[in-house]
Amino acid sequence: MRILLDKFCKSFGTTSVIEDMQLEVGSGEMLALLGPSGCGKSTTLFAICGIHRPTSGRILFGDRDVTNLPSQARNVGVVFQSYALYPHMTVEENIGFPLKVKRLATANIKQQVAEIAKLVQIDNLLGRRPGQLSGGQQQRVALARALIRRPDVLLLDEPLANLDAKLRLEMRSEIRRLQRETGITAILVTHDQVEAMSMCDRIAIMNKGEIVQIASPSDMYNDPRTAFVAGFLGNPPISFLKGRAEQGAFVLRDGGLKLPLPALSGIADGTELTLGVRPEHFGVAGGIPVEGRVTFAETQGRENLYDVVLPDGSVLRSIQPVRDDVKPGAQVRWMLDSSSTFVFAEDGRRL
Amino acid sequence: MAEKTAVPTNPASANFSGLPVIGLLTLLSLPLAVMYAYLFIDTISNSQGGSLVPSEFTLEHWRFLWETRPGKPNIWLVTLNTVIFTCCITAVTLTVSSMAGYVLSRLNVPARGFFLAGVMVLHAFPSVTLIIAIFIVLQYLGLYNSLIGVILVKAAIDLPLGIWLMKGFYDTVPWEIEMAGVVDGASRFTVWRRLVLPQIKPAVMALGLFSFLSGWSEFILPQVLAPGARVQVLSVYLAGLIADDNNFDFGTFKAVGVFYVVPVLILYAFFQKHLMNIYGGGTKG
Ligand SMILES: Nc1ncnc2c1ncn2[C@@H]1O[C@H](COP(=O)(O)OP(=O)(O)OP(=O)(O)O)[C@@H](O)[C@H]1O
Ligand SMILES: [Mg+2]
C-alpha cells in the first residue's frame, strides 16, 4: 500500500521537529530513513503509525486519508527502537497479543504464533518472558509481533541495532525476504548506511527534520546532491579537501594540488569549494599524482585503510588491496581519480 | 527476597557474627514482647490484685463472643460491619485510585495541573478539621449513622494519597509499551487493563493492603459519623468498653483488643512479601 506524507509538519509545543515534509513510498517498496540522531526519524515513524498527530499536513495510505484515524484503525506493524515488549507476558502471549485483541480463537492464535516464531527462529523460546531473552532475541520477538497481524505497512525503528554481526546479516536478508514475499510497504529507520543500502529499494536521507535527498542506493552513492549526503554514505567515509576555483580547476588552499574538473566551467575564479574524494578513488589507479605522508594504517582483512596527510594539513583516506610495503610515516605519491570526485559549493550544494 | 530474609540461618554477612546484634535487639524489644504476652495471658486468666502470676485459667473474658452484653451490640454484627466497612473502602480506593492515577499520569485531560495540585493539597489537608462539616452534610443527606455514609467519607479522605501513589507508579511505566499496545490494535481501556495495570501490580497490592489496614483501624470517623449500635465497627465497640464506667471489665477489654488485632496479624503474615515488594521496587511476577 502506498504511503504519502503531504506537507507533513510536526512540532512539540514550540519546538518544530519536522517542517513541510513531502515523502512518498510506493506500494511494496522498502524505504530507508537514514539520518543522524535527533533528526526526526522516529517522529516521522510515529506520525505514520498514528501515535503522533501531525501538526499540519496529510498522511495517506493508498488513497485513504488516515490523518485523523487512530492507530488501532490503521493496521500498521511497528518494531520500536526499544522493542516495547510486554514484560509480564511470555513470548507467546507477546506475539499473540495483536490477534487476541482481535478476539481470534485461542487455537488459531497458537498456530499462527508458532508459524511466525519459526520464521524468526524463536520457536524454542515461546515460554520465556522478555526479561529472560537477549537483546537480539527480544528484537525478533518484536518483529514477530509486528508481522503477525499481516499489516499493510511495516515500520521498523532500528530493528537490527542490537544484533551481532552475523545475525544482523541473516536478519537483514530475512526481513527483506519477508517484506518481498508479503508485499508489505516498509519503512526502515537506521543509523547504519550499510543496512540502508543493502536492504532497501530507496533511501531517504534526513537532516534536521528535512529530507535532503531520496534516491536508490547506487544513485545516492554515485550522485549525492549535497556534501552532507556524500559524507553520510560510504564506509570508510569520504574525505573532504578545502580549496578554490581557478580557471575551471580545483586548487588546494596552498596551491599544492590542481584538478581540472568539467563541473567547474563557468565558476568564477576564487570561489570557495570543497572537494569530496572517496577512499576507493585515491590509490594506485587514477590520473593526478598526490604526494603526502601516511599517518595511519589499518588492515581490514581483505583491504588496507590509510590516512594520508597532504602538505597543507588536509587528510585523504585511501582504501587498497592488502599490501605491506607502506608503513605509517612513509612518504607516498598516490594517484587520484579526478573524474570520480565531487565538488561542492560553500553551502554544501554539489556543482 | 522475603523468603530469604525469613531464613534465620542466613548470616547478615560473612565478615561479622550476627549474634551481638540479635542479642541487643532481643533485649530492646523484650518490654514490648512482655506487654504483648500479658495482653494475651490476661484475657484467659485471672490473677490476684498486684500479682503478675496468673492464679486461675478462665474463659470468662471471652464470653462476649457468645453472649451479647446488655446495652452492647452483638460482637458478630460489629465484626461484620467492620469487614464490610474495610472491604468497601479498599475496593473504592483501589478502583478509583488506579483509574484516576492513570488518567492524571497519561491522558491529556483539561485542567490536569489543577487536578494534580488539588490532589496534593487534599492529601496534605488534616481531614479531622472537616469532621463537623461532614457531619452536617451527612445529616442533610440522611446518611448519618449509616455504613454507606462513613464508607464514602473515609474512602474520599484516603483517595488523594492513593491517587498520588498510583500516579507515581504509572509514571515509571515506559510509554513505548502503551504505544505498542495501541498500534497492536488494543483500545485505550484494554491497554490500561491488560498492559499497564499488570506492570504496577505490586503497587496495587500494597495500596490495597494499606487501605485495608487504614480502614480496619479507623476510629474517629465511625465514632462521630456512625456510632449507632446497628452500624458500629470494632474500634468504636472497643472504645465503648472503656467509656462504660458502670461495669468496667479490663479482661474483656483486652480480649476484644486481641480479637480486633488478630485479622491484621494474619494479613501481615500472608502479605508481607507484597509489602516488601513496594520498598524493594521489584516488579516480579
Ligand atoms: N515528545 C517530545 N517532546 C519534545 N521534543 C521531542 C519529543 N519527541 C522527540 N522530540 C525531539 O524531536 C527531535 C527528533 O526526535 P526523534 O526521536 O524523531 O529523533 P530520531 O531521528 O529518531 O533520533 P535517534 O536516531 O536518536 O532515534 C529530537 O530533537 C527530540 O528532542
Ligand atoms: Mg529514534
Side-chain angles (χ1 to χ4, degrees):
Chain A
M1 189 173 294
R2 178 190 73 139
I3 307 170
L4 176 67
L5 298 185
D6 184 25
K7 300 200 185 69
F8 163 62
C9 298
K10 178 69 199 175
S11 46
F12 295 104
T14 53
T15 48
S16 173
V17 176
I18 288 171
E19 266 176 76
D20 248 0
M21 179 190 275
Q22 196 76 27
L23 175 68
E24 178 162 6
V25 188
S27 184
E29 187 183 28
M30 184 149 179
L31 179 98
L33 268 186
L34 195 58
S37 188
C39 69
K41 303 180 300 286
S42 298
T43 308
T44 309
L45 229 55
F46 286 162
I48 295 173
C49 66
I51 289 167
H52 289 333
R53 282 278 151 90
T55 313
S56 66
R58 294 187 307 155
I59 299 173
L60 274 76
F61 285 3
D63 291 324
R64 196 164 59 120
D65 188 336
V66 297
T67 315
N68 293 312
L69 232 53
S71 292
Q72 292 94 335
R74 291 195 191 186
N75 197 20
V76 180
V78 183
V79 176
F80 288 86
Q81 202 163 2
S82 54
Y83 323 133
L85 299 179
Y86 311 130
H88 58 292
M89 295 184 183
T90 62
V91 168
E92 181 166 15
E93 289 164 336
N94 260 285
I95 301 177
F97 185 76
L99 300 183
K100 192 158 178 192
V101 170
K102 281 203 213 159
R103 299 182 198 288
L104 259 59
T106 319
N108 189 356
I109 296 180
K110 209 172 168 66
Q111 182 212 338
Q112 289 197 39
V113 169
E115 269 170 33
I116 203 113
K118 199 158 187 176
L119 200 67
V120 296
Q121 301 169 16
I122 46 171
D123 39 344
N124 54 336
L125 304 172
L126 286 180
R128 295 214 201 156
R129 281 174 206 275
Q132 304 164 320
L133 299 179
S134 76
Q137 291 166 335
Q138 290 185 23
Q139 222 144 30
R140 280 182 282 166
V141 176
L143 190 63
R145 187 181 65 186
L147 285 174
I148 198 162
R149 244 172 11 133
R150 310 201 181 282
D152 298 328
V153 172
L154 181 65
L155 305 176
L156 306 152
D157 199 345
E158 308 197 18
L160 306 179
N162 268 298
L163 305 186
D164 64 52
K166 181 168 163 287
L167 199 58
R168 186 183 300 207
L169 218 69
E170 274 172 32
M171 287 299 285
R172 245 195 237 158
S173 48
E174 197 62 32
I175 293 180
R176 182 60 166 157
R177 187 179 63 79
L178 276 173
Q179 185 263 338
R180 280 240 174 84
E181 269 176 16
T182 46
I184 301 178
T185 311
I187 299 183
L188 170 81
V189 165
T190 173
H191 281 136
D192 182 354
Q193 40 111 4
V194 180
E195 207 169 285
M197 292 175 78
S198 61
M199 283 172 75
C200 298
D201 300 304
R202 284 195 305 160
I203 299 178
I205 292 202
M206 282 182 75
N207 190 22
K208 302 196 187 107
E210 278 181 18
I211 292 186
V212 190
Q213 185 174 358
I214 303 189
S216 72
S218 58
D219 282 357
M220 187 80 90
Y221 189 77
N222 297 320
D223 186 17
R225 202 175 290 159
T226 68
F228 177 80
V229 174
F232 215 88
L233 284 191
N235 185 26
I238 198 167
S239 30
F240 291 110
L241 300 178
K242 294 271 183 208
R244 300 185 297 281
E246 213 164 84
Q247 291 159 355
F250 171 88
V251 179
L252 208 60
R253 247 187 261 143
D254 68 346
L257 177 70
K258 195 165 173 176
L259 284 165
L261 292 168
L264 289 178
S265 61
I267 302 284
D269 283 6
T271 315
E272 294 285 336
L273 297 172
T274 306
L275 185 77
V277 183
R278 294 218 186 267
E280 62 267 33
H281 298 138
F282 174 55
V284 283
I288 312 266
V290 179
E291 286 195 26
R293 194 166 48 83
V294 176
T295 55
F296 172 80
E298 179 189 272
T299 182
Q300 299 186 337
R302 207 158 10 96
E303 285 153 335
N304 281 5
L305 178 66
Y306 299 103
D307 280 6
V308 177
V309 177
L310 307 193
D312 76 332
S314 43
V315 179
L316 275 182
R317 261 179 293 266
S318 167
I319 194 156
Q320 301 176 15
V322 165
R323 54 193 275 184
D324 33 75
D325 54 333
V326 183
K327 296 270 178 287
Q331 203 70 28
V332 293
R333 185 186 157 91
W334 281 340
M335 306 307 260
L336 197 156
D337 180 7
S338 68
S339 62
S340 317
T341 58
F342 308 122
V343 233
F344 303 100
E346 219 181 347
D347 60 359
R349 212 167 25 87
R350 167 114 178 271
L351 295 173
Chain B
M1 187 174 70
E3 289 97 327
K4 250 188 259 160
T5 46
V7 177
T9 53
N10 186 25
S13 153
N15 289 334
F16 72 98
S17 154
L19 274 180
V21 178
I22 291 174
L24 191 69
L25 287 178
T26 315
L27 209 67
L28 284 179
S29 41
L30 206 61
L32 269 177
V34 169
M35 272 161 57
Y36 277 119
Y38 268 97
L39 176 65
F40 181 67
I41 292 168
D42 282 355
T43 65
I44 51 166
S45 63
N46 280 326
S47 46
Q48 305 298 321
S51 159
L52 278 179
V53 187
S55 51
E56 57 165 349
F57 172 80
T58 170
L59 278 179
E60 67 175 290
H61 304 309
W62 288 94
R63 255 189 359 246
F64 71 93
L65 285 180
W66 53 89
E67 22 183 270
T68 304
R69 296 154 63 94
K72 297 271 178 243
N74 180 304
I75 185 70
W76 297 111
L77 176 68
V78 175
T79 310
L80 182 68
N81 282 341
T82 316
V83 169
I84 293 175
F85 177 72
T86 311
C87 287
C88 287
I89 284 167
T90 310
V92 172
T93 310
L94 276 187
T95 321
V96 177
S97 315
S98 60
M99 291 185 170
Y102 180 76
V103 169
L104 286 182
S105 165
R106 289 300 160 89
L107 301 188
N108 204 356
V109 283
R112 184 165 162 272
F114 170 78
F115 273 115
L116 277 177
V119 167
M120 197 60 170
V121 169
L122 281 180
H123 172 43
F125 202 81
S127 53
V128 184
T129 53
L130 291 174
I131 206 152
I132 305 294
I134 293 173
F135 174 81
I136 295 171
V137 170
L138 284 191
Q139 191 120 52
Y140 249 112
L141 294 174
L143 290 176
Y144 173 68
N145 235 342
S146 72
L147 267 181
I148 300 238
V150 73
I151 284 169
L152 287 179
V153 171
K154 171 70 179 158
I157 286 171
D158 275 1
L159 272 179
L161 172 68
I163 294 175
W164 195 256
L165 214 100
M166 284 292 122
K167 181 201 169 280
F169 275 94
Y170 282 123
D171 285 346
T172 65
V173 178
W175 268 104
E176 279 83 10
I177 287 188
E178 256 164 284
M179 295 182 180
V182 167
V183 169
D184 280 345
S187 70
R188 206 61 202 253
F189 182 81
T190 312
V191 166
W192 170 73
R193 177 69 198 76
R194 303 288 271 298
L195 302 180
V196 181
L197 205 53
Q199 314 288 324
I200 60 160
K201 215 165 76 184
V204 174
M205 289 299 267
L207 178 64
L209 200 55
F210 278 139
S211 52
F212 189 91
L213 294 178
S214 146
W216 191 261
S217 57
E218 180 62 39
F219 168 61
I220 292 286
L221 291 176
Q223 168 78 1
V224 176
L225 304 175
R230 286 187 37 239
V231 291
Q232 240 175 43
V233 294
L234 274 169
S235 56
V236 178
Y237 180 87
L238 193 60
L241 284 182
I242 2 176
D244 197 351
D245 287 330
N246 304 330
N247 37 8
F248 184 77
D249 180 353
F250 216 65
T252 307
F253 177 68
K254 283 182 174 176
V256 175
V258 170
F259 181 76
Y260 181 40
V261 87
V262 161
V264 176
L265 292 182
I266 293 175
L267 214 65
Y268 257 115
F270 275 104
F271 289 103
Q272 62 141 325
K273 199 173 115 194
H274 295 285
L275 264 188
M276 288 298 145
N277 238 342
I278 203 175
Y279 301 119
T283 42
K284 291 179 247 155

